[in-house]
Amino acid sequence: MRALALICMLLGISFTVGFTLLLVFIIVPAIFGVSFGIRRLYMKSLIKLFEWATLRMEQGAKEKNQHLYKPYSNGIIAKEPVSLEQEIHEMRRGGAEPEFDMSDIFYFCRRGVESIVDDEVTKRFTAEELESWNLLTRSNYNFHHISTRLTALWGVGVLIRYGFLLPLRVTLAFTGVGLLVVLTSVVGLFPNGRMKNYLSDKVHLMCYRICVRSLTAIITYHDSENKPKNGGICVANHTSPIDVIILASDGCYAMVGQVHGGLMGVIQRAMVKACPHIWFERSEVSVKTPAYITISFEIGSTVYPVAIKYDPRFGDAFWNSSKFGMVNYLLHMMSSWAIVCSVWYLPPMNRMEGEDAVQFANRVKAAIARKGGLADLLWDGGLKRGKVKEVFKEEQQKLYSKVLVGSSEDRSRS
């Protein structure tokens, strides 16, 4: 009995000490937005470790005359930016009249086969091989040599990530989400006014900052003078579900998003009590039309673009929802080394005279892509797991119709 009592006492002391350290060094600093610089020191140490591991692998590969990296190709098929009109004109050898020709079918067949062979959509949603080993896997597709010392180092990394970091992060995540649900529900009982708005802002900021700590997220914010202001609309590139907490840990936002079930639904219903968030059902009508995408650009308000870019060396933040569920995704991130990202606040943008909502949206998208060093693509990311939308088919039909009958300007001249 004495031994059991002693064990219980030691466990109680360990729990008390652990919770006190958690409260003093993580939760309280998160509440007040204070950082001791421990996470950045941790990130710099990891970079040095990755560089050393990669150097050891390169030396081992060189001694065995092996190729450590395989050449990466941007595309299987060499493509040049040529318009539909030019391609059909060349295919007809330049002599045919602008009317339907059976040979035109081969143009669309060839383009379809090229899209299947060199699938640009799926390729953009697949993680690229890293040029350095981040010790997150035993090996990967490109790395052919791992020494005994590196294997032991990988094993130690597994113990640290799953034995220490994962339990700590799960505890912080439950703390942040639990406080968010409880406190937003309490704030929702207050009458609308300044006090309610003030408390809502403080609660959201505090809980999001705790959630950021649960991912060991190291965020660098640039150009803070361009941060979104009240009355404007914040538009950012969407890479991961955690984009929300990355942005909201630096400022308060009324969010617009899709209704979810389960735990996410509970969180959404609690949040909307304290702040006027908008959750919508994604109906069949909205899926078939691009109108819901451009609503933000139709209302004439100032748009504040934000570019978010994640560093894949420490952990992959992208969520392939067709492959992993939300729980698997969160566990994958919480068992990685860290989530490191940069956030750029771009100067506010307004719709120009004569510019429609789609053109304005594309201009904002291009600005975000330039700032974040991202690929500015015209297609919809939903194509990675869905059928081609009718709007894309109609666009090709209009271009082909223009080849056959000419533009309205050409017809007016004739």
Side-chain angles (χ1 to χ4, degrees), residues 136-277:
L136 286 179
T137 54
R138 176 66 176 76
S139 62
N140 69 22
Y141 185 73
N142 280 341
F143 298 152
H144 301 295
H145 175 82
I146 300 180
S147 67
T148 305
R149 188 182 298 180
L150 287 178
T151 302
L153 183 61
W154 171 82
V156 172
V158 170
L159 292 176
I160 293 173
R161 290 189 291 110
Y162 286 92
F164 174 70
L165 292 178
L166 181 59
L168 175 64
R169 290 166 177 171
V170 170
T171 302
L172 285 172
F174 274 105
T175 302
V177 172
L179 286 174
L180 181 65
V181 172
V182 173
L183 294 180
T184 50
S185 299
V186 172
V187 172
L189 301 175
F190 284 73
N192 293 332
R194 285 187 177 180
M195 178 60 70
K196 182 177 181 178
N197 293 336
Y198 175 80
L199 291 175
S200 174
D201 289 350
K202 294 301 180 184
V203 165
H204 279 82
L205 273 175
M206 177 185 71
C207 295
Y208 285 131
R209 284 170 177 168
I210 294 175
C211 290
V212 161
R213 266 34 174 216
S214 72
L215 298 171
T216 315
I218 304 165
I219 313 167
T220 304
Y221 297 97
H222 303 272
D223 306 320
S224 295
E225 66 276 8
N226 296 325
K227 282 179 62 173
K229 297 179 175 58
N230 290 336
I233 296 174
C234 176
V235 176
N237 55 301
H238 188 33
T239 302
S240 162
I242 67 168
D243 293 341
V244 171
I245 64 173
I246 295 296
L247 280 176
S249 62
D250 191 44
C252 296
Y253 298 86
M255 302 173 193
V256 179
Q258 182 183 352
V259 172
H260 290 275
L263 176 62
M264 188 66 71
V266 173
I267 297 172
Q268 287 181 324
R269 289 190 293 273
M271 289 171 60
V272 81
K273 294 176 183 177
C275 184
H277 304 290

